[in-house]
Amino acid sequence: MTLNSLDLVTSLELPALIESSETIGAYECPEITTVQCVNLAQGTPKINIWGNDKLTSISFPLVTKAGSVNLHHNPLLATIPLTGMEEISGDLEIYSNAELGEINFPVLTTISGFVSLNENAKGTQISIPRFGGTEKDIHARENDILASVDFSSVE
């Protein structure tokens, strides 16, 4: 399920969705404030949410594996509650989210793609303590007030 350039949509809520390996996304929907998949627990969805001027919350509380996570250009998004995420089989991209303070994935061990954590103006902390590393690039740049980075399991 992907919403693309829909000017009047204010939310994407998929409470009956329990399994997906497809893209769940919202792209350039100027009025959308929330994206919720509260019962999604199976599969490896690609979570792609970008370019949403009023987005303030996302909710994927049961997702532990994803094909990719791409969250960018959502200026009001202050938190990313994906704390149960254990594995991302593709890329992790979190950038240009002006209000985002922390990037925290406490149980994430595997990212098979590249990691891009850039240009989050209010970003003070990046914490992925169980992440073992990747053969791809890891970028964390232009996070002007970043004070703490924890990749303590990277060898």
Side-chain angles (χ1 to χ4, degrees):
M1 166 61 81
T2 300
L3 302 178
N4 191 353
S5 300
L6 297 173
D7 292 344
L8 301 178
V9 173
T10 60
S11 68
L12 172 58
E13 298 178 25
L14 301 168
L17 185 65
I18 58 171
E19 180 176 359
S20 178
S21 292
E22 301 300 320
T23 298
I24 298 171
Y27 314 137
E28 298 180 349
C29 297
E31 297 299 318
I32 200 164
T33 61
T34 186
V35 176
Q36 295 184 2
C37 295
V38 296
N39 294 309
L40 178 60
Q42 300 171 25
T44 53
K46 297 167 191 74
I47 300 170
N48 296 323
I49 303 170
W50 51 266
N52 301 295
D53 293 340
K54 294 184 179 178
L55 184 75
T56 57
S57 70
I58 64 171
S59 182
F60 294 84
L62 304 177
V63 173
T64 60
K65 297 179 181 181
S68 62
V69 175
N70 298 292
L71 305 169
H72 58 87
H73 294 95
N74 300 297
L76 300 181
L77 186 63
T79 62
I80 299 174
L82 295 173
T83 56
M85 186 71 64
E86 298 171 1
E87 178 182 334
I88 300 172
S89 58
D91 301 328
L92 172 62
E93 297 181 89
I94 300 173
Y95 62 90
S96 296
N97 298 293
E99 292 296 316
L100 185 61
E102 295 182 1
I103 297 172
N104 183 20
F105 290 89
V107 297
L108 182 62
T109 59
T110 304
I111 304 169
S112 298
F114 67 86
V115 179
S116 179
L117 310 170
N118 302 320
E119 301 172 20
N120 296 297
K122 292 190 177 178
T124 59
Q125 176 184 6
I126 297 172
S127 180
I128 312 176
R130 294 187 181 178
F131 174 49
T134 180
E135 293 182 13
K136 307 286 184 173
D137 290 339
I138 300 173
H139 295 274
R141 61 179 177 78
E142 297 181 46
N143 297 295
D144 295 336
I145 61 172
L146 184 62
S148 173
V149 178
D150 181 1
F151 287 109
S152 51
S153 294
V154 172
E155 296 180 2

